[in-house]
Amino acid sequence: QVQLVESGGGLVRPGGSLRLSCVASGLIFNNYVMSWYRQAPGKGRELVASITPTDFNTNYADSVKGRFTISRDNAKNTVHLQMNSLKSEDTAVYYCRALWLRLYWGQGTQVTVSS
């Protein structure tokens, strides 16, 4: 049974930082493109960042370039999202996604940026 478990969300002030983590189990992690998506209230789910399995090539939404960094540790089946200089518009539920031959989603973790 595949599981993606996110953690690290919370309440932070504008300009602050958070580090999200997603631990995967039940799959061959090294085969999967790992991504972070987010969904703000009343909006659709959007790609934040992605990272390829072994070359570690990354891709970012324009809105987070220069502020967010995605990374992965294949030995620990974990992908991280370091979020710096957070803005109120970053408030959303953040989801971890794994894609190879099949697609899997985590349950999401809430990030709220507010003073």
Side-chain angles (χ1 to χ4, degrees):
Q1 180 180 358
V2 175
Q3 282 192 310
L4 302 177
V5 180
E6 301 102 332
S7 63
L11 172 64
V12 64
R13 293 184 177 182
S17 298
L18 282 175
R19 188 187 194 216
L20 306 184
S21 298
C22 171
V23 179
S25 60
L27 51 74
I28 303 174
F29 188 75
N30 292 21
N31 287 343
Y32 283 78
V33 175
M34 299 301 297
S35 302
W36 287 96
Y37 279 71
R38 68 186 180 187
Q39 187 165 17
K43 295 187 177 181
R45 196 170 293 191
E46 64 172 356
L47 173 68
V48 176
S50 63
I51 185 166
T52 57
T54 54
D55 291 339
F56 294 4
N57 291 320
T58 58
N59 181 50
Y60 296 92
D62 287 343
S63 59
V64 307
K65 282 181 181 176
R67 301 188 298 123
F68 291 11
T69 303
I70 189 171
S71 62
R72 65 190 292 161
D73 184 342
N74 286 349
K76 296 182 179 180
N77 285 13
T78 301
V79 60
H80 300 287
L81 185 69
Q82 177 66 43
M83 306 186 295
N84 298 329
S85 302
L86 282 161
K87 305 175 182 180
S88 58
E89 51 262 45
D90 295 317
T91 295
V93 178
Y94 284 71
Y95 297 91
C96 177
R97 190 187 88 159
L99 175 64
W100 180 42
L101 299 179
R102 299 187 69 174
L103 176 63
Y104 300 101
W105 290 95
Q107 82 288 350
T109 185
Q110 176 70 46
V111 171
T112 302
V113 184
S114 175
S115 55

